[in-house]
Amino acid sequence: MPQLHVVNHPLLQHKLTLMRDKTTGSKEFRELLREATIILVTEATRNLRAEEVRVETPLAETTGVKLSGKKATAVPILRAGLAMVEGFLQLLPNAKIGHVGLYRDPVTHKPVEYYFKVPACLPERDVFILDPMLATGGSAVQAINFIKQAGARSITLICLIAAPEGMAEVEKAHPEVAVYTAAVDEHLDERAFIVPGLGDAGDRLYGTE
Ligand code: PRP
C-alpha cells in the first residue's frame, strides 16, 4: 500500500507497548497517547507547505523556513481521537480543530454520526484526521467522506494501530489518503476489535469499561 507509513521510531514503539499493556491505567494511557501523537504528527507533517524567509539573528542575516498558507487542521474522531488533539497542538499550536462525532454500532459495527463541525476554508488547508484505532475502517472512511464533502483536498489519517482490514477499506474508498500509524496488527476478532491491539481505546482513555 503506497500510502501506508508505519512509523518505526523506537520511542513510539516503546510507548505503544506500554499502551498495549492491560495493567496501564487511564492517566498513563492518556499521557502516552499524547506523546505518541507528537511522534506520529512529526512524521505525518513532513510535506507541510513552507517557504524560505529572511531572518536576522543577533549576529547576521540568514535564510530560514516558515510554514506558509492557511493553517493546518486536525479533525479528531470522537471520542478517542480527542485525546490526540493536545499532542497535535503542541507541534502546531495555531492549528484549527474540527470535530467528527461517530460511534460504532456494537451489533452492526457500522459508524453512526452524531456531530460534525469543521473550520472554514477547508479546501486550502492540510487536514489531519486523528483516531487511535483503525479497525474495520468504517469510521475513518465515513469521516473522510464528510471532510471531503466539506471541501478538503489534502487529507491525512493518523492512527496508533491499524488492522489490515481497515487499511484495505480506506485504500479502496480513498486511495489518495496517506495513513500514518505505529503498527499494523494481525486481524479483527468477532467483535471487530483489533488483535492483539490494546482493547477499547475510548474506554481505556476515559475509564468507562
Ligand atoms: C473506536 C475507535 C474508532 C473506531 C474504529 O471508536 O476510536 O473511532 O472505533 O473502528 P472502525 O474502524 O471499525 O470504525 P468507538 O466507536 O468505540 O467510539 P469511542 O471513540 O466513542 O469509544
Side-chain angles (χ1 to χ4, degrees), residues 77-80 103-104 131 133-139 200 202:
I77 300 180
L78 309 181
R79 71 194 151 138
Y103 71 87
R104 207 169 65 158
D131 193 335
M133 309 303 275
L134 177 64
T136 66
S139 303
D200 185 312

Side-chain angles (χ1 to χ4, degrees), residues 77-81 102-105 109-111 114 130-141 166 188 192-194 200-203 205-206 208:
I77 300 180
L78 309 181
R79 71 194 151 138
L102 292 169
Y103 71 87
R104 207 169 65 158
D105 184 283
H109 304 146
K110 298 276 182 243
Y114 60 90
L130 309 177
D131 193 335
M133 309 303 275
L134 177 64
T136 66
S139 303
V141 167
L188 299 178
F193 271 53
I194 301 175
D200 185 312
D203 283 345
L205 284 163
Y206 303 118
T208 49

Side-chain angles (χ1 to χ4, degrees), residues 18-122:
L18 294 175
M19 293 180 76
R20 289 189 192 276
D21 187 333
K22 65 180 182 185
T23 67
T24 299
S26 287
K27 175 179 178 286
E28 200 185 347
F29 192 91
R30 280 195 299 273
E31 288 167 0
L32 288 162
L33 182 53
R34 179 180 55 77
E35 293 161 3
T37 302
I38 292 172
I39 300 169
L40 285 163
V41 171
T42 301
E43 290 294 326
T45 50
R46 274 186 189 280
N47 296 321
L48 273 185
R49 279 161 272 191
E51 63 188 4
E52 277 197 355
V53 293
R54 297 297 290 169
V55 59
E56 215 172 309
T57 79
L59 299 179
E61 197 179 300
T62 185
T63 302
V65 169
K66 275 192 171 175
L67 297 180
S68 62
K70 289 270 184 201
K71 294 182 178 73
T73 298
V75 181
I77 300 180
L78 309 181
R79 71 194 151 138
L82 268 184
M84 300 172 75
V85 172
E86 200 186 319
F88 189 94
L89 284 172
Q90 278 184 269
L91 289 181
L92 290 135
N94 296 310
K96 305 281 184 184
I97 310 292
H99 294 87
V100 180
L102 292 169
Y103 71 87
R104 207 169 65 158
D105 184 283
V107 177
T108 65
H109 304 146
K110 298 276 182 243
V112 182
E113 181 203 355
Y114 60 90
Y115 190 76
F116 185 74
K117 182 88 178 173
V118 288
C121 306
L122 221 50

Side-chain angles (χ1 to χ4, degrees), residues 1-6 162 167 177-181 184:
M1 291 181 187
Q3 298 285 32
L4 173 63
H5 304 266
V6 181
M167 277 303 314
V177 170
V179 180
Y180 284 78
T181 187
V184 179

Side-chain angles (χ1 to χ4, degrees), residues 137-179:
S139 303
V141 167
Q142 188 70 278
I144 297 167
N145 287 341
F146 292 146
I147 290 164
K148 277 188 177 174
Q149 281 161 22
R153 289 198 282 264
S154 162
I155 302 174
T156 300
L157 174 63
I158 302 178
C159 55
L160 186 70
I161 302 182
E165 295 90 334
M167 277 303 314
E169 279 303 301
V170 171
E171 211 212 2
K172 192 169 75 181
H174 302 291
E176 79 291 356
V177 170
V179 180

